[in-house]
Amino acid sequence: MIGVFDSGLGGLTVVKELLKRLPNYKILYFGDTARTPYGTKSPETVCKYAIENTRFLLARGAKIIVVACHTVSSTSIPILRESFPDVPFFEVVTPSFKKALRLTKNKKIGLIGTRTTVESGIYQRLFSEADPEIKLYTNPAPLLVPLIEEGWLKKPETRSIVKKYLIPLKMRGIDTLILACTHYPLLKKIIAEKAGKRVRLVDPSEEVAIEVAEYLSRQENVAGVVEPNGEPEVWVSDITPNFERIAGMFLNRKISLKKFSW
Ligand code: DGL
């Protein structure tokens, strides 16, 4: 069983990609809807929540853990690996960094994400270690998560806010843009349009799913094969009708949530 967790329901973008590539694995998802958002919280708080979420998934039988949340991936991975040394963890930062490194031609890379992800400085460290000539330009884009959760995917207001966030990055001449947040794949079309034809996008949900699929093709029995097309089991720490609607929007199908209380 593949365990996936996120601060809320945005991580279902990762589940969607995992289902495409790994239809024979059961997926157990936990969205911390009672404590979302993480992107405005301190790394210490995010880390504490990440440990609790991992415990929940392991207790329910997950054999590998996919950290769908960019905020957790950029702040908490060393502590998670230290706390659960026998568990294979996958996170969204490393495969996104590697993809951007492969894509960029002019070595100017842009990134949008939550404030905590941007302030973690993790991408800056990775790129300067890999190639000191790479210039990374970042811009926190805190308004995009609530707009997406409201379902404002095509509204003119959303388009103009996306444009505003991308202007400073475009002015630097970036040729690659990392969408460093679970929610942004839902705005991929608008982001691509506003970023311009010269800019290639890195979608972490695709990159991490590719990495997990490659790993499982080498270690077949680690996560345990189940019947094809099994529905993902989606647990949350709080349920409202609005959460059900948001979950459906992210997965593109109707989904029933189960509640877990701490
Ligand atoms: N899941 C978060 C991320 O990818 C976005 C939502 C939040 O701030 O909790 O960073």
Side-chain angles (χ1 to χ4, degrees), residues 6 9-17 20 68-70 92 96 112-113 144-145 148 153-154 162 177-192 201-208 249-252:
D6 178 42
L9 297 161
L12 291 171
T13 51
V14 170
V15 171
K16 202 164 151 198
E17 294 301 323
K20 264 194 224 162
C69 182
H70 232 96
V92 282
S96 308
I112 48 173
L144 299 186
V145 166
I148 293 166
L153 302 181
K154 291 182 182 153
V162 167
L177 176 67
I178 303 174
L179 309 184
C181 176
T182 44
H183 290 51
Y184 301 170
L186 271 76
L187 291 181
K188 222 160 151 182
K189 266 200 189 137
I190 297 180
I191 294 173
L201 303 188
V202 176
D203 177 345
S205 63
E206 289 174 3
E207 300 313 317
V208 71
M249 178 174 82
F250 278 111
L251 260 192
N252 245 348

Side-chain angles (χ1 to χ4, degrees), residues 6-8 36-40 68-72 114 117 145 180-183:
D6 178 42
S7 57
T36 200
Y38 285 7
T40 50
C69 182
H70 232 96
T71 305
V72 175
T114 66
T117 294
V145 166
C181 176
T182 44
H183 290 51

